[in-house]
Amino acid sequence: MGRIAYVNGRYVHQAEAVVHIEDRGYQFADAVYEVWALFGGKLADPEGHFARLERSLSELRIPMPMTRAALTTVLRETVRRNRVREGLVYLQVSRGVAPRDHAFPAAHVAPAVVVTVSRVDRDATDARAAKGVSVVTTPENRWGRCDIKTVGLLPNALAKQKAREVGAVEAWFVDDLGLVTEGASSNAWIVDGDGILRTRDTNANILRGVTRLSLIDVAREAGLKVEERPFTPDEARAAKEAFITGAGSLVLPVVAVDGKPVGDGAPGPVALKLRRLYIERAKASAI
Ligand code: PDD
């Protein structure tokens, strides 16, 4: 069975799914997206992702294409038709289709909606977590509104490619102050020498990661101290542990930054425990 996508009101075979060549998402990256992790066919962290979707759309003055309830039905139905239990759901909403003109279309256009589902091999990702991953750093070169989850991801794609070419899994952007902002598709964390969990604050130009927010809760419930305070790549290497969070990576230990080990170069107990606790909580609250 081939994969099924939802495209503007219809469920279609992905090989036959098409979007208009004048979709503003295609021409101007005038579109936002969300990614949900799927556990047992259910959407993890639903509230956080819907809230961020609504915020991203409202910052760009794109209307919600349908109610949350209707969107939930569409996401679930796309998952069901693909028969995926462990995976990811991708939703993209663009401003819609209009003759090419940078400013918004004068007349009302309906937002264009696409949903796809992909399978994740959780055994493989658990094995990756048990080994830990490497990251590389790269100068921050993105626009000033990384809090909006737009499909304008060229700097992220280039950074990820840079990482891949040296066998790393993620690239961390480093801003003009020499501080890590976040990863190309994840948030960045360390466990510092005092055992304090640190991740960049949301006043900085970063995406407000849904996994990040849940994990702050999970960590505090587990009695850990969390500070939204930046760190440098040197501080990451000198830290006890480092890790990344995101719908794709969940919680993934980082064992090297720019080819130099973090701590003793092996995944740390805090990151591995938080991974387990996060997954437990995500499964319990998935819808
Ligand atoms: N990326 N920072 C960036 C730049 C991201 O693209 C992502 C997610 C995150 C983590 O956010 P969350 O915890 O809400 O997934 C942080 C998704 C998974 C992607 O682009 O595929």
Side-chain angles (χ1 to χ4, degrees), residues 3-7 10-18 81:
R3 290 165 67 192
I4 305 290
Y6 172 90
V7 185
R10 294 173 57 225
Y11 297 95
V12 288
H13 286 289
Q14 205 153 302
E16 289 147 28
V18 287
R81 288 184 187 230

Side-chain angles (χ1 to χ4, degrees), residues 35-39 49 87-88 120-122 124-130 132-135 149 160 169-172 182-189 209-212 215 243-254 271-272 274-276 278-279 282:
V35 179
W36 285 258
L38 277 177
F39 291 101
H49 287 285
L88 294 167
V120 169
D121 178 350
R122 293 256 192 253
T125 48
D126 284 348
R128 175 181 262 194
V133 299
S134 299
V135 305
K149 198 164 172 62
K160 196 71 115 176
V169 157
E170 182 58 301
W172 279 356
E182 63 178 332
S185 65
S186 60
N187 289 109
W189 299 66
V210 173
T211 318
R212 171 190 177 283
L215 199 72
F243 59 92
I244 55 175
T245 57
S249 43
L250 305 176
V251 178
L252 197 54
V254 169
L272 290 173
L274 288 173
R275 178 178 173 87
R276 184 172 52 75
Y278 172 74
I279 291 173

